[in-house]
Amino acid sequence: MTATANGTDAARDIVVIEDLHKSFGNVEVLKGIDLAVAAGEAVVIVGSSGSGKSTCLRCINRLEEPTRGRIIVGGQEITGRKVDLNALRRRIGMVFQGINLYPHMTALGNVTLAMRKVAGLSRAEADEKARHYLDLVGLAHKADSYPAQLSGGQQQRVGIARAMALEPQVMLFDEPTSALDPELVGEVLNVMVRTKQLGMTMIVVTHEMQFAREVADRVVFMDGGKVLDVGTPHEILVEPRHQRIRDFINRTRT
Ligand SMILES: Nc1ncnc2c1ncn2[C@@H]1O[C@H](COP(=O)(O)OP(=O)(O)O)[C@@H](O)[C@H]1O
Ligand SMILES: [Mg+2]
């Protein structure tokens, strides 16, 4: 086993973030993030708007270029210059707040597209796999529906199936339920619970505190571009040590 100085374990950790800094112009929005996520772990990131949660996730799949620091995914440093971004993004699934299916393609078409274009599967292989993942998100019967024929929650579930179908090493979720009508939030959270039960490693940004309390192995509280505290859901969300976190919880109590 190869343990590094900051106590992370390269053999066990799927994602290791070391001293991550990110500036936009002369504004530093990430001020040194350290975080290691173990295989099969669900880490939920919470914190006020503007604290850097999305920027942190976006650095993990290189939608943003870190200004300083290292990120290692599946044992490979992904912050180097020579990284193949297509290969990297195949290993890292991402689901955003906004729903971004192709409107002119069916649910099945949306799920198979990346498998055929990025992973190079044949149509038959891609279709079979896509149906498996649509079934996983409870939408096998909607394979031939177009996005406009699906609710927002169903569309977001197709987005999860699309990401999962590439069998990534880690799934990143950035407020996947924030754009949904309240009655559609639960079905998407239930699918996320299932992905966790399948053993998927997950990093989830959400304001759904009940989900964080019940599903997270650890909760990270971000504040002003730094990690203010990390711990069990109980330590961070139920009996927080920091007044800053107590104030946040009281504002978002659900
Ligand atoms: N592309 C960008 N250019 C300039 N500033 C940005 C950009 N993206 C994010 N920011 C700023 O970085 C800070 C952190 O943003 P973000 O990571 O989106 O926070 P959160 O997801 O926690 O709400 C905010 O002040 C935001 O305005
Ligand atoms: Mg955000």
Side-chain angles (χ1 to χ4, degrees):
M1 296 271 244
T2 45
T4 57
N6 61 2
T8 61
D9 179 343
R12 184 203 62 167
D13 293 325
I14 298 291
V15 178
V16 179
I17 300 172
E18 293 176 351
D19 194 34
L20 176 63
H21 290 251
K22 174 65 184 177
S23 299
F24 293 106
N26 53 16
V27 180
E28 191 175 45
V29 303
L30 296 181
K31 300 173 182 169
I33 305 285
D34 291 282
L35 179 69
V37 181
E41 195 178 22
V43 169
V44 170
I45 302 177
V46 299
S48 305
S49 179
S51 58
K53 305 179 299 296
S54 294
T55 304
C56 185
L57 283 193
R58 290 165 59 82
C59 284
I60 298 174
N61 72 353
R62 292 277 301 269
L63 287 171
E64 300 289 357
E65 289 297 311
T67 311
R68 180 145 63 92
R70 291 205 311 162
I71 301 175
I72 297 148
V73 178
Q76 187 203 354
E77 179 169 353
I78 60 114
T79 28
R81 281 181 194 284
K82 294 198 192 105
V83 172
D84 176 344
L85 291 184
N86 285 330
L88 170 71
R89 290 184 188 139
R90 208 179 307 157
R91 298 196 285 126
I92 302 174
M94 183 137 185
V95 179
F96 301 90
Q97 174 178 349
I99 293 157
N100 54 356
L101 301 178
Y102 291 103
H104 61 288
M105 299 180 88
T106 62
L108 187 76
N110 270 281
V111 178
T112 55
L113 184 68
M115 277 191 277
R116 298 180 62 209
K117 292 269 188 270
V118 183
L121 267 60
S122 72
R123 177 181 283 274
E125 288 169 318
D127 278 5
E128 188 185 331
K129 219 173 222 186
R131 288 186 192 282
H132 170 77
Y133 283 97
L134 283 171
D135 187 40
L136 183 82
V137 302
L139 291 174
H141 61 298
K142 296 288 186 185
D144 298 321
S145 298
Y146 287 87
Q149 300 168 311
L150 301 173
S151 73
Q154 289 172 332
Q155 291 182 45
Q156 199 60 314
R157 286 152 63 195
V158 173
I160 294 173
R162 176 176 59 183
M164 287 286 286
L166 292 173
E167 295 173 349
Q169 291 176 308
V170 56
M171 285 278 290
L172 311 176
F173 293 88
D174 192 357
E175 300 197 30
T177 61
S178 295
L180 299 177
D181 291 336
E183 73 272 22
L184 303 178
V185 168
E187 65 189 67
V188 174
L189 294 178
N190 285 341
V191 166
M192 291 165 66
V193 170
R194 285 197 75 185
T195 64
K196 157 77 175 153
Q197 287 166 344
L198 288 173
M200 181 54 68
T201 308
M202 298 167 45
I203 306 177
V204 181
V205 173
T206 186
H207 295 294
E208 295 294 332
M209 291 299 144
Q210 190 184 343
F211 175 86
R213 283 193 301 268
E214 291 173 2
V215 181
D217 294 298
R218 282 185 300 152
V219 176
V220 172
F221 188 91
M222 279 187 67
D223 188 38
K226 291 184 177 166
V227 173
L228 178 61
D229 205 0
V230 186
T232 64
H234 189 89
E235 288 166 340
I236 305 301
L237 302 175
V238 182
E239 290 187 34
R241 304 184 277 160
H242 296 269
Q243 184 60 42
R244 183 80 199 76
I245 302 180
R246 285 197 289 273
D247 293 343
F248 175 85
I249 303 295
N250 288 334
R251 282 201 307 276
T252 57
R253 191 174 292 284
T254 49

